[in-house]
Structures are given as structure tokens and as C-alpha cells.
Amino acid sequence: MTWKCANENCFPDTTCALGHLDRRDCEHWQQQGAEMDETAEHPDVPTSDLPWNGYALGTSDLTILSGRGQPVVVGLIGPPDSGKTSLLAFFYMWLLKYGKIGGWDFAGSWTLGGWESVVQYCRWTGEPPPSFPPHTSSAGRHPGVLHVTLRQRESGALRDVLFTDAPGEWFTRWARVPADPTAAGARWVVDHANALLLLIDSAALEDAEKLPQSRRSTRDLLERVGAEKGTCPVMVLWTKDDVDVPGAVRDGLSRTCEHFIPGASFWRTTVTKPETIQQCFVEAIHASEKAEIALDEIEPRLSHDPFLAFRGTHVRV
């Protein structure tokens, strides 16, 4: 009996691309050459000793970053198709082109494969022509996490930054029913983020047919974030700003945001003006560094001896 992974992004000599410690728990692990018998006993599956596979990290994989210090988390939240994955693709392609962003230089990543899977549709490699990344699948319960290491140009200090890539359907369900078990990933993003980028889809609000539902779902999300965010700084991004949104709609949602999320900053972004997106990420990293670290302690404290606890002068305690 032969078993094989059907996920094209998974390889037999690394851990599961979706974060499963046991491949038998993954829906893509299938019997080859015959229909899977649910009553049949699965054979023992060898696992790799490698702690990561280069693709998006799962929430259980964050231990690999804790040895250098606690990373900061920038959470992207918004309705479906509001542009969360496209913003991440822009961020990575900006780093590829310039090697820096703001006052930081790119210094590495544990998820280069994950970043490449995000931008593969944006490259011109022939036919079909480049396009925006496809819609993020809502399958699963935990958000994908993309990582970069940035080095501050002036001080030389390193900072590990995590960006969440979660489907908008999670946030829509979470906004309406916070206890919905299918919205666990959305709750994780909001609970653990050091800074939140809340996206408002200008294109959906410009469309007269989509306007009522889009305005309602956006308002629900603003109210829920205001109730759950705690002290986390929030940046409200009007994406696709090259689209004209009716003034009454924009003013109404702005008042809603000011009421439920006082202190939030407002930004307008469009791919026609790349500097507007770049500046948002710069400000988000600044805000996350100033915010209280919210990521759970994912590595046990084994010693209180200062020598054994030392992790380098570049780590902010």
C-alpha cells in the first residue's frame, strides 16, 4: 500500500506544507492507485527532522523564531477580495526590487517559498499574463504566517516580523458570530497582532449592486475590531483608491470607524501609486514595535540563570 501527498507544494523530505505534524491528519495525504479505505489502518509515516519547509508557517511553527527573540505580528484583516494577499505580494516584490523598506534592510526569511507562492501570479513569465494573486482558500482553521527578518540600518538591530495571510470569509463570520468555530483563525490574528491593517475594499463599495452587503459587512467588522482589539494600534486602509467611492458612503464608514475605533489612522492605497502601499507597511512595522508584545510565550523558560538566558545584544528585551 503506497501513500502520497496530493498537495503540489508539499515534498516528502520536509514537514507538511499545511503545518500538520502527522501527515495522516492532512486531507491531501492519500492512498495512491486506489480509493482510500477509511477503515484501513494508515501506515506509520516518517517525518522530517527539519523544523520548517520554507512555505507559510503555521501557528505551531513559531517556536523556530523564539531563539532570537520575540517577533512582532502585523495582522491583515478585511472582507473577502479586499486586497490582503495582494498587499503582501506588493511588500515582497518591493523587497526584491530595493532590498529595503523604510529604515530597514532585508536580512532574510524563513518562508521564502511562501512568499514566492504569493507572487507567482504577479510575474510575467509568458502566457497567461500577470495578475493579482488568487483568492485565499478558507479551508483550515489557522492563518498562514509569512516571515521576514529586517535589520535596522542605523543601529544594526534585527527584527523578526510576521505577516498573517487569512481569508476574508473568516473575518466576516467572526464579525457576525465571534464564537463561530470556523472563525478561530480570525480570532488568532486579532488576539496576537501587534498592529492591525484593516482593509476597506473601495471597489466593492463603488459597485451599486454590491454596496449594501459590502457596507454592512465592513461596518460589522469595524464594530467587532473596536470591541476586541484591546490596545493594539489599528491602521484603516482604503484599498484600490483609484476607484471613486460615493462621498456619503466614505464619510459614513469613516464616522463609524472613529466611533468604534478611536485613534485609528486612515490611509489610502492604490497600485498606481506604489509609495502609498510602501508607506503603510513602514508605519505598520513602526507601530508594531511600539505596541505591547502580544504573542504567546511559545518557548518554555528552562533557566533563570542570566548566562543561559542570554540571546545576543541585538535582541530587545
Side-chain angles (χ1 to χ4, degrees), residues 188-204:
W188 189 95
V189 173
V190 176
D191 290 343
H192 294 84
N194 303 107
L196 287 172
L197 299 182
L198 197 164
L199 280 62
I200 299 179
D201 186 358
S202 298

Side-chain angles (χ1 to χ4, degrees), residues 225-248:
V225 170
E228 303 286 347
K229 74 176 183 62
T231 60
C232 179
V234 178
M235 298 172 56
V236 178
L237 275 59
W238 290 84
T239 59
K240 312 170 190 176
D241 194 51
D242 50 310
V243 175
D244 291 328
V245 177

Side-chain angles (χ1 to χ4, degrees), residues 92-162:
Y92 179 64
M93 296 184 76
W94 182 279
L95 290 179
L96 289 177
K97 183 175 182 179
Y98 298 105
K100 61 183 179 180
I101 185 166
W104 294 275
D105 294 326
F106 176 70
S109 173
W110 287 77
T111 58
L112 288 176
W115 287 110
E116 286 293 325
S117 66
V118 168
V119 303
Q120 62 177 319
Y121 296 91
C122 305
R123 290 197 171 98
W124 197 310
T125 57
E127 295 296 337
S131 63
F132 289 104
H135 181 73
T136 302
S137 171
S138 58
R141 294 173 55 87
H142 300 286
V145 180
L146 297 170
H147 164 257
V148 294
T149 300
L150 301 174
R151 184 182 297 277
Q152 197 170 53
R153 199 169 302 119
E154 293 183 359
S155 66
L158 291 176
R159 170 55 64 203
D160 290 307
V161 185
L162 302 174

